[in-house]
Amino acid sequence: MELPFDHAVEQHGATVLRVCRAVLGPGADADDAWSETFLSALKAWPELPDDTNTEAWLVRVARRKAIDITRARARHAVPTDELPEQASTDQTHGDNDVWSEVAALPERQRLAIAYHYLGGLPHAETAELIGGSADAVRRAAADGMKKLRKSYEDKEPNNG
């Protein structure tokens, strides 16, 4: 790949982080998936063909890293002596509210939104990642966006 690696991180880092957060939720796991994505990308970078769609390739790597973290979560219990803090009911925390809404979507809708809208992949490539047809993925993404819009319309004060 002729493009310097640091340029790829600058250009696509935010997209990869959005995908990681959409799949894993906000927090350390998404940050870890982002780091693992670019670590793997750095190792593969010299052999990557020049005509590679870098953004799509990085989104696919991020997807695999997010799956690895999801599997690791399922295998390992985390013992603790302290109870976690209570979740905030304050609605002023901005982006976390968005990620909570995305995380609450059914898995297929969440992944369709993450890969298409946040990762910039076409519906056909998203379908290859999550299974099904491009039309089914398009429908899942549309249904997910409809739910997100409705949840925000319901939260707006003086709605109507």
Side-chain angles (χ1 to χ4, degrees):
M1 175 63 72
E2 299 232 355
L3 177 73
F5 183 74
D6 59 332
H7 288 251
V9 175
E10 289 174 20
Q11 287 178 331
H12 306 298
T15 299
V16 169
L17 184 59
R18 285 192 304 268
V19 168
C20 293
R21 284 181 176 167
V23 174
L24 296 167
D29 285 343
D31 295 341
D32 289 347
W34 185 91
S35 297
E36 290 292 325
T37 297
F38 283 105
L39 182 61
S40 292
L42 180 61
K43 290 176 185 175
W45 197 253
E47 286 82 36
L48 202 62
D50 288 336
D51 63 345
T52 300
N53 179 339
T54 307
E55 185 176 48
W57 180 73
L58 287 168
V59 167
R60 285 180 181 209
V61 173
R63 173 187 179 264
R64 291 185 193 112
K65 295 303 176 184
I67 288 170
D68 290 346
I69 289 173
T70 301
R71 287 179 180 157
R73 278 184 190 164
R75 288 191 297 259
H76 299 285
V78 179
T80 181
D81 292 333
E82 299 176 18
L83 293 174
E85 292 182 23
Q86 292 289 355
S88 173
T89 57
D90 180 16
Q91 295 297 318
T92 62
H93 49 278
D95 278 352
N96 285 340
D97 200 28
V98 171
W99 298 122
S100 297
E101 293 292 333
V102 171
L105 291 172
E107 180 181 24
R108 195 158 176 78
Q109 292 175 6
R110 184 178 74 247
L111 294 176
I113 286 172
Y115 297 134
H116 179 69
Y117 290 106
L118 303 176
L121 294 179
H123 291 300
E125 287 186 36
T126 302
E128 289 177 23
L129 291 173
I130 66 175
S133 68
D135 288 338
V137 169
R138 184 178 291 110
R139 180 80 255 160
D143 290 346
M145 290 301 289
K146 183 177 178 181
K147 284 184 183 181
L148 290 173
R149 285 185 189 107
K150 175 132 178 57
S151 71
Y152 278 93
E153 286 172 4
D154 291 346
K155 290 180 182 180
E156 287 181 5
N158 301 325
N159 202 13

